[in-house]
Amino acid sequence: MSQETESIQKTRILKGKPVAAALHSEVAAGVDALIAAGARRPKLVAMLVGDNPASAVYVSSKTKACRDVGIDGETLDLPRDIEHARLMDHLGELNEDPGVDGILVQLPLPDHLPEREVLESVLPEKDVDGFHPHNVGGMWLDKPARRPADPPSVLTPATPTGIMELLHRSGIELSGKHAVIVGRSAIVGKPMAALLLREHCTVTLCHSRTRDLPSVCRLADILIAAVGRPAMIGPDHVSEGTVVIDVGINRVTDRALIEHLYPGKAKKLARFDSRGYAVVGDVDYTRVKPKASAITPVPGGVGPLTVAQLLVNTLRASRRRQGLDTEA
Ligand code: GUN
């Protein structure tokens, strides 16, 4: 293979950490500017119901990140068997507290609690997750962005909004491109479609009943995998030159699967053997990477952006609530 061909085929690895770090420092500077202007320090309260270990880890990383950038970050720990009415009382108090700018209800909630009703009870101006119908509606009704990276008019979900930052800051053109999203969740797939659409992508949203998924995926210039199934997107889903964004964070405990996904990667196996699991994305990274023009790794790709974007959202909410302009 000539050197030229080799360089043409080189895949860019889109790492989330540097973009997350940039967002963290921008938020820290924004908080400093707020304080210097005599405003109140932004505050986020994360509601954690029950003892789901993964949720506890996520929430503590969110509140720690808040503190790192000068945002007050608190967790409201509530028992797993809390009555719906009591939970609503707590939400009511947070809604009314003028010192609270952002409220986050960590999902999933225990089965006896009506998730939709709970999320709809968060005041839209404090809804830093962007899950309230006011914010969801605003996002879909937004005019197409005039300039790339124009922020949406409302608070939008952290993971897809963070992915938009990654795409912009990596210089990936969106206008006119075909984006194919696999997974129709309210947290990632659906808002991802809205955000890409307002930046002039042609969007296809696929799901478990999509017929001939590989051939639909092969139409993508930008392929976003958000299904929660380890390595389900393989090389037959990807055309040469596609930008591949992997949102999956799957814990795999099957050693044979890890051996298959990372052939010859002794370090991966050694880590698996010491921990008893490995984190795998929705994309078969080893086999897809050679076809992609750019790809996010797992871990270290999309993951760090979710928390970073939550900080951006909290600063936006606080600025807006304190009568300052909306942009962080
Ligand atoms: N559970 C999984 N992802 C999220 C998220 O982005 N926000 C909240 N609140 N819960 C989640």
Side-chain angles (χ1 to χ4, degrees):
M1 194 188 293
S2 75
Q3 257 194 347
E4 191 181 53
T5 322
E6 257 178 57
S7 72
I8 287 168
Q9 291 193 341
K10 197 157 168 44
T11 307
R12 275 178 78 191
I13 309 302
L14 303 176
K15 293 194 174 160
K17 264 200 192 152
V19 173
L23 291 172
H24 280 236
S25 28
E26 286 164 28
V27 172
V31 171
D32 287 347
L34 267 188
I35 307 294
R40 199 173 34 69
R41 187 172 292 284
K43 178 171 176 175
L44 171 79
V45 178
M47 191 180 265
L48 179 61
V49 185
D51 47 16
N52 179 325
S55 291
V57 170
Y58 288 137
V59 165
S60 88
S61 74
K62 289 172 183 178
T63 51
K64 181 187 173 298
C66 281
R67 291 189 291 273
D68 289 346
V69 296
I71 293 174
D72 278 340
E74 273 183 18
T75 304
L76 179 59
D77 271 305
L78 297 172
R80 173 168 197 84
D81 59 357
I82 188 168
E83 278 176 31
H84 178 206
R86 284 296 302 139
L87 183 82
M88 297 307 256
D89 291 344
H90 283 291
L91 263 184
E93 281 168 27
L94 294 174
N95 279 339
E96 277 166 33
D97 185 339
V100 172
D101 298 298
I103 303 170
L104 176 154
V105 180
Q106 186 63 29
L107 302 177
L109 286 171
D111 286 344
H112 69 284
L113 295 168
E115 187 174 292
R116 284 278 293 274
E117 208 177 309
V118 171
L119 296 178
E120 286 174 20
S121 305
V122 175
L123 210 56
E125 67 187 46
K126 298 191 180 190
D127 171 37
V128 286
D129 259 329
F131 293 163
H132 188 284
H134 169 88
N135 289 323
V136 176
M139 174 180 65
W140 280 101
L141 294 170
D142 241 7
K143 291 204 181 96
R146 266 179 299 137
R147 284 166 295 136
D150 261 352
S153 62
V154 289
L155 293 165
T156 54
T159 301
T161 312
I163 291 170
M164 296 304 286
E165 286 294 339
L166 177 69
L167 292 170
H168 287 308
R169 293 177 190 228
S170 306
I172 290 167
E173 271 276 335
L174 297 177
S175 183
K177 297 288 175 64
H178 188 178
V180 176
I181 303 160
V182 189
R184 57 176 152 181
S185 73
I187 295 180
V188 183
K190 286 188 209 168
M192 192 79 252
L195 295 173
L196 288 163
L197 186 62
R198 69 181 281 285
E199 302 238 6
H200 316 282
C201 280
T202 301
V203 177
T204 300
L205 189 45
C206 303
H207 46 79
S208 51
R209 299 205 191 167
T210 297
R211 266 184 278 154
D212 194 1
L213 182 67
S215 53
V216 179
C217 290
R218 283 197 301 271
L219 299 173
D221 299 304
I222 299 164
L223 179 64
I224 307 218
V227 269
R229 285 183 55 194
M232 85 157 263
I233 302 296
D236 53 334
H237 294 78
V238 180
S239 296
E240 290 290 335
T242 306
V243 174
V244 179
I245 306 292
D246 188 351
V247 189
I249 302 179
N250 308 293
R251 228 176 215 247
V252 171
T253 53
D254 174 355
R255 191 176 196 277
L257 179 57
I258 298 304
E259 274 187 285
H260 166 72
L261 292 177
Y262 307 102
K265 297 275 184 199
K267 261 198 195 161
K268 277 266 180 200
L269 270 184
R271 272 201 102 195
F272 176 91
D273 288 336
S274 74
R275 299 198 300 187
Y277 71 91
V279 174
V280 172
D282 290 347
V283 174
D284 182 343
Y285 185 84
T286 307
R287 293 169 183 86
V288 165
K289 185 178 153 222
K291 295 183 95 174
S293 61
I295 189 167
T296 59
V298 175
V302 170
L305 297 167
T306 298
V307 172
Q309 187 61 43
L310 174 69
L311 305 176
V312 174
N313 284 1
T314 305
L315 178 61
R316 284 188 81 195
S318 184
R319 288 174 66 88
R320 187 176 286 190
R321 293 188 64 257
Q322 300 196 65
L324 297 154
D325 72 38
T326 59
E327 295 329 315

